C-alpha cells in the first residue's frame, strides 16, 4: 500500500488534508471535523477506473479546473489568445501552523494560481484564490471563484436567507441537493437577504450541538454560492464574486485576488459557528484608534422628520435627543441642495441654502455643544438626474449608449469604475468632512444596479471608502442600502455599523436580527426604537418591547422624543440608561440563541462570567405554565440570576406569576449550572410581544 504524502491545516475542531502526489496537483482528501490522517493510503491506491470513465480518474484538485478530466465546478475560467485550456503544473505547497498556500502555474499561458487557506482568530478559516499573470500577453478572466471546496461529510441541510426592502433576512431551508443548489445575486449589492452566505447543518444539528458549517463571502457585489453533488455522493461548494464578461483583463505582471470566503465549522451547532463568524468579522474591522469604543446611542432623524427639516427643526430634535441621553445625532437625508423629496439633489453634496443658510457647521457645533457626536447621511454612489452634478456630467453614470437609463427612486448610479468619478466624490466628501466637524457618515445605497457595474464598481466603492478612511481616520461609517441591502464582511473592512432594515417593527426585527447575527457580531447591527404604530407595518407595540428588542444590537432612536408624552419620553430615557449600563456585556463577547417550548425564544449575550439573557414571547402562550428554559452555555458555572426588565404591554408578567419572579427583581436567585443547563431556568408566564431581560452572574 502506498502511503499518501500529506499537507494539513488543523484548527480548533477541524482539519484540512491534502494529498501531494509526486506528480500532479495536490488533491483534496478531507475538510471537516478534526482528524489524524497518519498512515492514510494514497487515493490512487483506493480508487481505480470504473466503466466508461477515464482510465486514470482525475480526483478533485486543490485548484480544480474543468477540461482536465475533472467534471465538477472550476475555480477559474480564462481566455487565452489562442483559446488553449489552462493546465497547471509546477506545484508548490507552503505549510505553516496557521496557513496552507498552494500554487500551480501554467507555463504556456504564464498564469499562476494560488489557493490560500488561513486560520482566522477565533477558529474560522478564510479561503481565497489569487491569480498572477507571469507571461507576456494579457489574460482575460471570465470567472474566478474564491474557492471550490468539498463540503464536509455529514452535512445534509442548507439554511440560507432571502429578503426584500423592509423584509430583510428571511430564513429558508433546503435539503442538500440531488443535483445543485445555488444562491446567486445580481443586484450589484448583496441585497436584502444579507451576505452571500449559508449554514450547512448536519443531522440533528441545532442551536447548541451538531455539526454546522457557516460560510460567507466577504464581498459587497454580485456573488454566487453553489453546491453541487458529485459522483462519489459528496458535494462541492463554490463561492465566487461574479465578473461581467470581459471585465477582468490581467495585464502582464498583474495580480488579482478573489474576496475571501469565511468558513466556520463547529460541532457546537449554529451557536458555535456563529461565535467563529463573529470573531472572524471582528478581526477584519478597522476601528478608529485601533479598538472599538463603547457604541454610542444614536438618534437618526429619518423617521422623526423625513425630508421636512431646517436648522431650527434639527436644533430642536438634537436638544430633545440630548435630553434623553443620546450620544450621537445623525442628520439623515434632506440636508443638501435641492433635496425636498427623493426626486432631486443626490450628487450635490453641500448644504441646502434654503434649509441651512448658514451651512451645516452651526448644526454640528450645536450637536457637539449638547455633548453628542454629529453624523451625516450621504449616498455618494448615486445621482439624481435633477442635480447639478448630472447636468454637468451626464456621462458619469452607469449606462448603455443609446439605451434608456432606468431610474429607481428617481436616481441613477455613478460609474465608480472611472477614476475621475471617484476623484470627484473623494474631493466632495473630503471637503464636506474638512469643513464641517462630522464624526460619522451614514453611507446609503438606495437602488439596484441597472445596467450592472460588475466587480469593478464594487472595487471602485472600496477604493473610495479606503481613501476617505485614510484621510479621515476618526470618522466611523455606517453601511446602509435601503435598510439592510449591503450587509457583508467585505464592506465591513471600511465600515463600523450596518443599518439592518427600514422596518423597525420589533416583531419583524426579531427574525431579521437573528439572521444578521448568524454572520455579524451584535455591535455592528443597527437597531432602533421607532414610533408605534410602526411606519413600516402599522403594528402597535409597547415602547418597552420595542426598546428591549433594539437593545440586542447597536441601540438607537428613530423618532422625535418631543412627540412622545412625558411618561413615554421618561421611559425611553430610562431604557437608554439601561442600555448604556449593559452595552459592554451586550457587545463584549459571545452570543447564544435558542428556542424553548411553546414558542419562546431566548438569546444571551456575554462572556464566561456575565450574561444578559432575553426571553421573548411573540404569540399568546398555549400552555398554562412556561417550561423552564434550558441554557446549555451555563453548565460550567453556578449563577446568581436577577430579573432586570419585563418589557412589553402592561401585563407582561401574568398577574399570578410566582412570587419568586417578583423577588428576583430585587434579589438575585442562585441556580447551579447543571440545573440551568439541564432542568432549565424557570420563567414566569409572559404576555405576547414581551421580553424578559435577566442578568446571569457567575458565582466565584
Ligand atoms: C434609506 C435608508 C433610510 C433613510 C433613507 C433616506 O431608505 O434605509 O434609513 O436613510 O434611505 O432617504
Amino acid at each position: 500500500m502506498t502511503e499518501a504524502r500529506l499537507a494539513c491545516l488543523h484548527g480548533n475542531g477541524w482539519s484540512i488534508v491534502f494529498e501531494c502526489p509526486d506528480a500532479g496537483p495536490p488533491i483534496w482528501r478531507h475538510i471537516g471535523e478534526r482528524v489524524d490522517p497518519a498512515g492514510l493510503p494514497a487515493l490512487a491506491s483506493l480508487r481505480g477506473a470504473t466503466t466508461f470513465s477515464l482510465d486514470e480518474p482525475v480526483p478533485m484538485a486543490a485548484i480544480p479546473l474543468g477540461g482536465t478530466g475533472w467534471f465538477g465546478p472550476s475555480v477559474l475560467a480564462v481566455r487565452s489568445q489562442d483559446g488553449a485550456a489552462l493546465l497547471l503544473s509546477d506545484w508548490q505547497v507552503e505549510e505553516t501552523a496557521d496557513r496552507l498556500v498552494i500554487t500551480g502555474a501554467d507555463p504556456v499561458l504564464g498564469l499562476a494560481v494560488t489557493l490560500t487557506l488561513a486560520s482566522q482568530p477565533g477558529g474560522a478559516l478564510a479561503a481565497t484564490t489569487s491569480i498572477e499573470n507571469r507571461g507576456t500577453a494579457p489574460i482575460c478572466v471570465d470567472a474566478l471563484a474564491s474557492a471550490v471546496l468539498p463540503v464536509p461529510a455529514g452535512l445534509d441541510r442548507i439554511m440560507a436567507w432571502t429578503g426584500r426592502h423592509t423584509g430583510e433576512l428571511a430564513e429558508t431551508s433546503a435539503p442538500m441537493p440531488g443535483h445543485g443548489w445555488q444562491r446567486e445575486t445580481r443586484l450589484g449589492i448583496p441585497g436584502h437577504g444579507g451576505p452571500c452566505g449559508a449554514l450547512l447543518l448536519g443531522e440533528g444539528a441545532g442551536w447548541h450541538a451538531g455539526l454546522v458549517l457557516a460560510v460567507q463571502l466577504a464581498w459587497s457585489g454580485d456573488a454566487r454560492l453553489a453546491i453541487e453533488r458529485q459522483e462519489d455522493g459528496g458535494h462541492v461548494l463554490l463561492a465566487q464574486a461574479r465578473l461581467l464578461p470581459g471585465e477582468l483583463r490581467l495585464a502582464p505582471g498583474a495580480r488579482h485576488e478573489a474576496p475571501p470566503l469565511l468558513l466556520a465549522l463547529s460541532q457546537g451547532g449554529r451557536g458555535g459557528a456563529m461565535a467563529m463568524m463573529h470573531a472572524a468579522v471582528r478581526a477584519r474591522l478597522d476601528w478608529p484608534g485601533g479598538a472599538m469604543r463603547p457604541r454610542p446611542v444614536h438618534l437618526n432623524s429619518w423617521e422623526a422628520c423625513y425630508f421636512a427639516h431646517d436648522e431650527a427643526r434639527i436644533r430642536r430634535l438634537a436638544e430633545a435627543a440630548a435630553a434623553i441621553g443620546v450620544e450621537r445625532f445623525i442628520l439623515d437625508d434632506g440636508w443638501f441642495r435641492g433635496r425636498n423629496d427623493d426626486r432631486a439633489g443626490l450628487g450635490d453634496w453641500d448644504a441646502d441654502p434654503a434649509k441651512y443658510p448658514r451651512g451645516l457647521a452651526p448644526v454640528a457645533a450645536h450637536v457637539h455643544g449638547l455633548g453628542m457626536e454629529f453624523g451625516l447621511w450621504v449616498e455618494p454612489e448615486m445621482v439624481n438626474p435633477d442635480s447639478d452634478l448630472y447636468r454637468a456630467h451626464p456621462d458619469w453614470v452607469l449606462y448603455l449608449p443609446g439605451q434608456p437609463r432606468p431610474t429607481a427612486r428617481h436616481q441613477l448610479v455613478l460609474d465608480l469604475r472611472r477614476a475621475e468619478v471617484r476623484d470627484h466624490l473623494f474631493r466632495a466628501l473630503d471637503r464636506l468632512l474638512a469643513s464641517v466637524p462630522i464624526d460619522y457618515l451614514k453611507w446609503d445605497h438606495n437602488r439596484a444596479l441597472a445596467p450592472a457595474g460588475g466587480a469593478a464598481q464594487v472595487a471602485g466603492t472600496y477604493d473610495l471608502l479606503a481613501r476617505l478612511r485614510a484621510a479621515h481616520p476618526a470618522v466611523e461609517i455606517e453601511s446602509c442600502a435601503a435598510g439592510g441591502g449591503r450587509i457583508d464582511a467585505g464592506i465591513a473592512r471600511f465600515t463600523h455599523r450596518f443599518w439592518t432594515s427600514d422596518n423597525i417593527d420589533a416583531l419583524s426585527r426579531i427574525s431579521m436580527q437573528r439572521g444578521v447575527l448568524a454572520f455579524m457580531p451584535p455591535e455592528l447591527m443597527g437597531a432602533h426604537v421607532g414610533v408605534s404604530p410602526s411606519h413600516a407595518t402599522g403594528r402597535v407595540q409597547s415602547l418597552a418591547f420595542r426598546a428591549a428588542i433594539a437593545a440586542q444590537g447597536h441601540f438607537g432612536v428613530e423618532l422625535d422624543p418631543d412627540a412622545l408624552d412625558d411618561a413615554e419620553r421618561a421611559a425611553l430615557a430610562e431604557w437608554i440608561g439601561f442600555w448604556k449600563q449593559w452595552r459592554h456585556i451586550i457587545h463584549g463577547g459571545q452570543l447564544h440563541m435558542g428556542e424553548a417550548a411553546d414558542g419562546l425564544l431566548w438569546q444571551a449575550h456575554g462572556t464566561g462570567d456575565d450574561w444578559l439573557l432575553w426571553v421573548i414571547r411573540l404569540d399568546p402562550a398555549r400552555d398554562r405554565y412556561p417550561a423552564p428554559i434550558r441554557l446549555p452555555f451555563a453548565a460550567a458555572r453556578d449563577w446568581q440570576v436577577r430579573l432586570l426588565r419585563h418589557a412589553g404591554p402592561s401585563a407582561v408578567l401574568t398577574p399570578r406569576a410566582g412570587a419568586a419572579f417578583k423577588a428576583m427583581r430585587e434579589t438575585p436567585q442562585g441556580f447551579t449550572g447543571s440545573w440551568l443547563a439541564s432542568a432549565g431556568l424557570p420563567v414566569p408566564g409572559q404576555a405576547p410581544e414581551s421580553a424578559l431581560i435577566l442578568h446571569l452572574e457567575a458565582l466565584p
Side-chain angles (χ1 to χ4, degrees):
M1 186 191 74
T2 335
E3 199 173 305
R5 192 152 57 88
L6 304 176
C8 303
L9 182 66
H10 297 287
N12 180 12
W14 53 262
S15 298
I16 286 177
V17 180
F18 289 101
E19 177 178 339
C20 305
D22 295 337
I27 50 184
W28 278 102
R29 295 301 303 272
H30 177 76
I31 174 170
E33 289 154 282
R34 197 173 171 112
V35 291
D36 176 358
L40 191 70
L43 191 62
S45 68
L46 300 172
R47 263 192 198 177
T50 64
T51 51
F52 196 68
S53 71
L54 296 183
D55 293 336
E56 284 201 27
V58 176
M60 183 175 177
I63 300 174
L65 292 172
T68 57
W70 159 251
F71 300 109
S74 271
V75 164
L76 183 65
V78 297
R79 262 176 290 159
S80 62
Q81 273 167 340
D82 60 3
L86 193 62
L87 202 60
L88 300 178
S89 55
D90 302 341
W91 292 98
Q92 287 174 13
V93 179
E94 276 173 57
E95 189 183 0
T96 61
D98 60 0
R99 163 182 301 257
L100 263 181
V101 182
I102 299 175
T103 302
D106 181 325
V108 179
L109 273 180
L111 187 70
V113 186
T114 300
L115 170 70
T116 303
L117 299 164
S119 295
Q120 302 296 292
L125 178 76
T128 189
T129 301
S130 61
I131 50 178
E132 188 189 334
N133 186 347
R134 294 179 181 167
T136 50
I139 298 173
C140 275
V141 181
D142 286 338
L144 174 65
S146 296
V148 176
L149 311 154
V151 171
L155 298 171
D156 57 17
R157 194 155 47 96
I158 306 168
M159 189 171 272
W161 283 262
T162 179
R164 60 169 171 88
H165 179 229
T166 69
E168 280 82 346
L169 286 117
E171 194 175 290
T172 70
S173 173
M176 286 299 265
H179 295 280
W181 174 95
Q182 75 165 4
R183 181 195 191 281
E184 183 158 350
T185 48
R186 307 183 187 95
L187 300 168
I189 50 174
H192 294 84
C196 178
L199 301 187
L200 273 53
L201 295 100
E203 193 183 356
W207 288 104
H208 319 293
L211 188 65
V212 174
L213 173 71
V215 294
Q216 67 170 314
L217 191 64
W219 179 242
S220 310
D222 293 342
R224 179 157 173 255
L225 188 66
I227 295 172
E228 261 187 36
R229 190 165 194 274
Q230 297 306 299
E231 291 180 318
D232 62 2
H235 290 83
V236 166
L237 179 142
L238 169 147
Q240 74 184 66
R242 291 178 69 236
L243 299 172
L244 290 181
E247 84 168 316
L248 182 56
R249 198 163 170 274
L250 211 58
R255 186 176 172 278
H256 178 85
E257 185 166 306
L261 175 70
L262 304 177
L263 298 120
L265 183 73
S266 172
Q267 277 146 334
R270 292 175 67 173
M274 177 168 67
M276 287 176 161
M277 269 303 172
H278 289 181
V281 172
R282 281 172 173 154
R284 294 174 64 77
L285 300 172
D286 178 16
W287 293 104
M292 184 186 84
R293 288 182 290 129
R295 301 292 69 217
V297 175
H298 279 201
L299 185 137
N300 188 60
S301 72
W302 182 238
E303 290 200 9
C305 51
Y306 293 102
F307 294 104
H309 50 82
D310 56 17
E311 186 181 326
R313 174 79 181 89
I314 289 301
R315 288 171 83 96
R316 281 202 309 279
L317 187 61
E319 286 156 19
I324 58 169
V326 167
E327 297 165 308
R328 180 186 277 161
F329 179 88
I330 296 98
L331 175 53
D332 206 285
D333 198 353
W335 60 267
F336 45 97
R337 197 144 40 85
R339 188 71 166 173
N340 297 314
D341 53 34
D342 58 14
R343 293 177 169 271
L346 291 174
D348 298 340
W349 299 111
D350 32 48
D352 184 74
K355 297 180 186 176
Y356 297 92
R358 304 190 303 148
L360 290 183
V363 178
H366 189 60
V367 168
H368 285 155
L370 291 163
M372 298 182 292
E373 293 177 33
F374 179 62
L376 192 66
W377 181 94
V378 288
E379 197 180 356
E381 295 142 281
M382 300 293 159
V383 66
N384 285 117
D386 185 359
S387 68
D388 289 345
L389 180 67
Y390 188 74
R391 281 182 282 272
H393 298 285
D395 59 325
W396 275 11
V397 297
L398 294 174
Y399 73 103
L400 298 173
Q403 298 292 322
R405 302 178 177 203
T407 51
R409 209 192 188 207
H410 316 288
Q411 63 199 53
L412 296 167
V413 185
L414 290 169
D415 187 348
L416 270 83
R417 301 172 301 189
R418 297 173 59 162
E420 73 265 47
V421 176
R422 296 196 301 271
D423 288 346
H424 167 83
L425 290 173
F426 175 77
R427 280 195 302 274
L429 294 168
D430 180 57
R431 189 158 25 88
L432 189 63
L433 292 169
S435 59
V436 181
I438 293 166
D439 307 294
Y440 184 81
L441 288 176
K442 178 179 175 186
W443 184 298
D444 214 334
H445 183 295
N446 275 317
R447 62 161 291 177
L449 271 52
Q457 174 78 4
V458 180
T461 299
Y462 286 171
D463 176 70
L464 178 61
L465 282 162
R467 278 172 80 183
L468 276 165
R469 291 278 300 121
H472 302 276
V475 175
E476 285 187 17
I477 301 178
E478 171 169 3
S479 169
C480 175
R486 189 155 62 182
I487 298 177
D488 65 82
I491 208 152
R493 288 186 49 213
F494 313 100
T495 57
H496 310 91
R497 189 185 208 248
F498 297 112
W499 182 225
T500 305
S501 176
D502 283 343
N503 179 356
I504 316 176
D505 173 310
L507 274 180
S508 307
R509 273 299 182 106
I510 290 167
S511 56
M512 286 181 200
Q513 293 185 178
R514 289 191 156 210
V516 171
L517 293 170
F519 300 103
M520 299 295 166
E523 60 270 25
L524 301 189
M525 184 177 74
H528 292 180
V529 180
V531 295
S532 180
S534 152
H535 285 186
T537 66
R539 285 197 291 214
V540 173
Q541 287 140 6
S542 72
L543 181 108
F545 184 54
R546 283 175 276 149
I549 298 306
Q552 295 176 343
H554 178 178
F555 191 85
V557 173
E558 187 89 18
L559 53 71
D560 181 354
D562 276 346
L564 301 176
D565 64 31
D566 290 350
E568 279 215 316
R569 191 165 46 251
L572 182 55
E574 214 263 329
W575 270 100
I576 290 173
F578 170 83
W579 192 78
K580 288 178 182 169
Q581 185 187 347
W582 296 101
R583 61 186 156 191
H584 65 288
I585 295 181
I586 297 171
H587 296 162
Q590 286 188 357
L591 193 53
H592 294 280
M593 290 181 189
E595 288 161 39
D598 197 6
L600 281 182
L601 302 176
W602 64 266
Q603 185 164 320
H605 296 228
T607 63
D609 299 347
D610 230 0
W611 296 88
L612 221 53
L613 171 71
W614 279 253
V615 180
I616 302 164
R617 168 159 293 296
L618 310 179
D619 298 312
R622 175 197 57 202
D623 299 330
R624 186 188 295 265
Y625 301 110
I629 295 185
R630 285 149 55 96
L631 302 172
F633 71 90
R637 309 285 295 268
D638 294 333
W639 303 90
Q640 298 258 56
V641 181
R642 194 154 76 89
L643 177 57
L644 300 176
R645 299 261 139 170
H646 46 97
S650 49
V652 173
L653 296 184
T654 52
R656 292 179 193 215
F661 299 113
K662 291 180 181 131
M664 272 166 71
R665 294 296 307 264
E666 306 303 329
T667 318
Q669 169 70 48
F671 290 96
T672 64
S674 61
W675 187 270
L676 292 189
S678 302
L681 175 72
V683 288
Q686 277 173 250
E689 295 176 26
S690 75
L692 307 175
I693 304 181
L694 301 109
H695 181 216
L696 275 67
E697 192 176 6
L699 288 165

